[in-house]
Amino acid sequence: LATPFAAVSLLDGTKQLLAGCSFPSGPGERWSPVELSISKFTVASGIPFIVDDATVHALLADHPAVISGAIGAYAGVPLFSDDDQAVGTLHSWDNRPRQWTSGQIIVLQEMADLASAKIFRRPI
């Protein structure tokens, strides 16, 4: 996707777990409150959440990671459990705004399908 960051997040009612990520993180950094999660928007809707410029997006402009400059663009695709519930995301982001292409979203969706299969031990 030509982005510096990607992660797999799983959510429950109160926490987000970074189950895997493309950057170093310590044990305490893998868990965060769901209130700080951007993935919660993808999980709640069950559809991809694609943001080209987080600084002007109604749901993200006031988010601490956007204000700090850590997130400028975000693309998240839901991960589905065996009972077809969105329980997490495969997401990628950049620290600057960017225009996501349809090809990048297709790749992200295909990778999310593989991640779901691996997490829930489904055949690929």
Side-chain angles (χ1 to χ4, degrees):
L1 300 177
T3 60
F5 309 104
V8 171
S9 295
L10 299 172
L11 284 73
D12 69 11
T14 61
K15 300 179 295 285
Q16 171 180 273
L17 167 67
L18 282 180
C21 51
S22 66
F23 51 91
S25 65
E29 298 170 337
R30 290 187 164 269
W31 290 96
S32 61
V34 76
E35 294 82 23
L36 295 177
S37 171
I38 295 176
S39 295
K40 68 183 177 188
F41 300 115
T42 308
V43 170
S45 69
I47 60 173
F49 183 58
I50 311 302
V51 178
D52 292 334
D53 187 347
T55 64
V56 297
H57 192 277
L59 295 174
L60 299 183
D62 294 332
H63 190 281
V66 175
I67 292 169
S68 74
I71 296 178
Y74 177 91
V77 175
L79 302 175
F80 292 98
S81 66
D82 288 337
D83 60 355
D84 209 29
Q85 297 295 311
V87 295
T89 63
L90 173 63
H91 53 279
S92 184
W93 65 98
D94 203 328
N95 51 8
R96 60 181 175 74
R98 66 179 298 134
Q99 192 166 22
W100 300 98
T101 67
S102 59
Q104 288 173 317
I105 304 309
I106 290 168
V107 167
L108 194 61
Q109 180 65 62
E110 289 174 354
M111 296 300 290
D113 292 344
L114 289 171
S116 290
K118 185 78 169 165
I119 291 167
F120 296 106
R121 301 175 192 256
R122 293 190 287 252
I124 296 177

